[in-house]
Each structure stands twice: as C-alpha cells, then as structure tokens.
Amino acid sequence: MRNQDIVLTLEGLKKVQTELDELKAVGRKRVAERIREAKQFGEIGDNSEYEDAKTEQAQIEGRIETLQYLLANAVIVDKHENDGKVGVGSTVRLQDVTSGEELHYEIVGAEEADPGEHRQVPVGDGG
C-alpha cells in the first residue's frame, strides 16, 4: 500500500477501531483455537481443516494490517460547514421527482462508501 490520507468521518473512525479491536481480541483467539483443534486431526499436510484455519488466520492478519494502515493515515472530517458547498461530512437532501420521496445522503470518503445506506463518495474522489 502506498501512503496516502484516508478520509474518515468520526463515525467511520470508530467503526474501524471497533473492527480492529474485535479482530485482535476475538478473531485471533478463535482462529488459533481452530488451528490447535485441526492439528489433532492428523498429519498437517493432508489436513484440510488445518489448511482452512491457516487461510482464515492469513485473512484476519491481512485485515488487521489494512485497518492499522487506515488508522495511521486517517484524516478525520467531522461535519462539513454549511457554506453552500458539498464535501465530505455534508448531508445532502434530494427529492425523487417520480415518487416525491425525500432522500438523505451523507457524503463520506471512499473507505466508508455504502450506497445502500445512502453513504456516497463525492464525484471525482476515486470512489
């Protein structure tokens, strides 16, 4: 990964930290236990349970590394000033012209984008 700023809202920062804490405290212990149990099934070279557990361990460690990178390079944006411009931290209200429904979108950085939850990346922000 190359060093670059990661734009996160305060809420996004908390989610990243929570996930990291969970993986370190629970995920690592769970997979270590799976590995210990799998070793009891016999020869490691022919043990699919052991291989699966080791693969899960690699995935957890990779995710921990990614989360630590995000935290180390995070730029926190709380709320965007209401100056008539839209940016990360803004909440935008739109009205659907066909249904009349009013929709609310929060503008977030690429790491937090979730269109299903109305969390969008600004146009031109790589997301």
Side-chain angles (χ1 to χ4, degrees), residues 9-115:
T9 62
L10 197 51
E11 178 185 346
L13 176 70
K14 289 176 185 175
K15 285 182 180 180
V16 169
Q17 188 62 58
T18 298
E19 183 182 355
L20 179 60
D21 293 344
E22 175 79 11
L23 287 174
K24 284 181 166 183
V26 178
R28 279 179 169 163
K29 289 178 184 175
R30 185 189 69 233
V31 78
E33 182 59 32
R34 273 192 70 200
I35 291 169
R36 272 192 295 282
E37 289 174 5
K39 284 181 179 179
Q40 296 174 3
F41 294 139
E43 188 66 35
I44 290 174
D46 296 329
N47 187 333
S48 64
E49 181 64 28
Y50 177 79
E51 290 301 319
D52 288 346
K54 291 298 283 183
T55 298
E56 181 183 1
Q57 181 183 43
Q59 291 170 341
I60 287 173
E61 293 304 322
R63 184 63 181 157
I64 287 171
E65 184 179 323
T66 297
L67 295 171
Q68 288 173 331
Y69 173 85
L70 293 176
L71 291 174
N73 294 285
V75 173
I76 308 307
V77 177
D78 191 15
K79 294 291 179 192
H80 189 75
E81 292 182 23
N82 190 5
D83 58 3
K85 297 177 185 175
V86 175
V88 174
S90 296
T91 299
V92 179
R93 294 185 333 214
L94 303 172
Q95 186 165 3
D96 185 319
V97 294
T98 55
S99 70
E101 179 183 8
E102 184 172 274
L103 303 170
H104 297 257
Y105 290 90
E106 183 179 356
I107 308 303
V108 296
E111 291 298 322
E112 293 180 77
D114 184 351

